[in-house]
């Protein structure tokens, strides 16, 4: 999904709490990590949230760095006075994403239907396309192995362009001309 597609999708999510949860997905968090996030696991000043081992898919707790959009969203939500960061408008905790709302937004946006987890894949893809090293992405997303992250590496090879000239088989034109004159003198 392109960034334009994502903006259009977000604009078509009509359920406010779902809109906020989808915006927060730009952190790369899983749905259960977002929906279970409590204020005692957030440090807005340090731009961090903590995913505890009981919520992490791999069973390991980790810090989750928060981008500026996530910080702004949390600051908007902070005044709600709820234990969980993301709740329904009534303050009731949300336990699962609303698939119908996401499907409706996708149809309105003219994109293929998607699962909430596709937002995490999109986040990872955008990181790779922006040149984020795979080891950094592994830590950001909480993947256990680099092999799990490598599925995103094929999406853009632009970051490899800096390294392609590190080894060259044939010399540059100027060097070739100098060598051919040397060869001529040796032959005659």
């Amino acid at each position: 999904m392109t960034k334009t597609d994502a903006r259009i999708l977000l604009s078509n999510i009509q359920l406010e709490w779902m809109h906020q949860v989808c915006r927060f997905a730009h952190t790369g968090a899983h749905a259960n990590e977002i929906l279970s996030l409590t204020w005692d696991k957030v440090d807005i000043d340090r731009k961090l949230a903590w995913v505890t081992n009981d919520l992490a898919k791999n069973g390991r707790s980790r810090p989750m760095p928060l981008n500026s959009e996530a910080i702004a969203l949390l600051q908007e939500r902070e005044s709600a006075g709820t234990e969980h960061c993301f709740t329904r408008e009534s303050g009731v905790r949300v336990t699962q994403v609303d698939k119908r709302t996401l499907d409706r937004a996708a149809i309105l946006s003219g994109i293929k239907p998607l699962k909430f987890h596709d937002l995490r894949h999109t986040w990872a893809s955008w990181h790779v396309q922006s040149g984020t090293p795979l080891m950094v992405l592994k830590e950001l997303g909480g993947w256990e192995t680099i092999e799990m992250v490598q599925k995103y590496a094929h999406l853009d090879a632009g970051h490899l362009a800096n390294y392609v000239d590190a080894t060259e088989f044939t010399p540059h034109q100027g060097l070739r001309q100098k060598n051919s004159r040397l060869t001529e003198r040796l032959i005659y």
Side-chain angles (χ1 to χ4, degrees), residues 22-91:
C22 289
R23 278 178 55 202
F24 198 81
H26 192 60
T27 61
H30 290 92
N32 72 316
E33 295 170 348
I34 297 170
L35 298 176
S36 300
L37 187 62
T38 54
W39 290 107
D40 62 328
K41 305 284 187 300
V42 174
D43 186 337
I44 289 178
D45 294 333
R46 291 177 56 206
K47 297 184 176 185
L48 285 173
W50 284 268
V51 176
T52 54
N53 57 350
D54 58 322
L55 298 176
K57 189 173 177 183
N58 66 9
R60 294 183 183 167
S61 61
R62 72 175 193 283
M64 179 173 41
L66 301 173
N67 57 39
S68 56
E69 185 173 350
I71 293 295
L73 179 57
L74 287 171
Q75 287 171 331
E76 289 172 26
R77 295 280 315 142
E78 206 169 18
S79 63
T82 58
E83 177 186 2
H84 288 85
C85 298
F86 297 96
T87 62
R88 297 182 188 280
E89 287 76 9
S90 63

Side-chain angles (χ1 to χ4, degrees), residues 9-178:
L9 177 71
L10 278 174
S11 72
N12 284 314
I13 296 175
Q14 297 166 354
L15 196 55
E16 183 58 28
W17 70 262
M18 187 65 183
H19 181 267
Q20 293 172 346
V21 167
C22 289
R23 278 178 55 202
F24 198 81
H26 192 60
T27 61
H30 290 92
N32 72 316
E33 295 170 348
I34 297 170
L35 298 176
S36 300
L37 187 62
T38 54
W39 290 107
D40 62 328
K41 305 284 187 300
V42 174
D43 186 337
I44 289 178
D45 294 333
R46 291 177 56 206
K47 297 184 176 185
L48 285 173
W50 284 268
V51 176
T52 54
N53 57 350
D54 58 322
L55 298 176
K57 189 173 177 183
N58 66 9
R60 294 183 183 167
S61 61
R62 72 175 193 283
M64 179 173 41
L66 301 173
N67 57 39
S68 56
E69 185 173 350
I71 293 295
L73 179 57
L74 287 171
Q75 287 171 331
E76 289 172 26
R77 295 280 315 142
E78 206 169 18
S79 63
T82 58
E83 177 186 2
H84 288 85
C85 298
F86 297 96
T87 62
R88 297 182 188 280
E89 287 76 9
S90 63
V92 173
R93 180 179 176 208
V94 179
T95 57
Q96 61 185 18
V97 296
D98 189 321
K99 175 83 171 115
R100 289 177 306 172
T101 297
L102 198 56
D103 287 344
R104 237 178 279 134
I107 290 167
L108 289 170
S109 303
I111 61 174
K112 66 178 183 156
L114 61 144
K115 299 178 291 241
F116 186 84
H117 195 73
D118 293 334
L119 300 177
R120 177 175 162 84
H121 288 281
T122 298
W123 167 84
S125 300
W126 290 351
H127 265 286
V128 169
Q129 291 167 356
S130 294
T132 302
L134 295 183
M135 286 303 289
V136 172
L137 183 57
K138 175 187 169 294
E139 288 185 49
L140 287 172
W143 283 281
E144 270 189 75
T145 66
I146 194 68
E147 290 78 19
M148 297 171 89
V149 182
Q150 285 179 318
K151 62 183 164 186
Y152 303 105
H154 75 282
L155 297 171
D156 182 50
H159 65 288
L160 301 175
N162 296 329
Y163 304 99
V164 296
D165 289 332
T167 60
E168 292 182 352
F169 184 71
T170 58
H172 291 289
Q173 183 64 30
L175 188 57
R176 215 174 317 149
Q177 288 174 350
K178 182 179 176 183

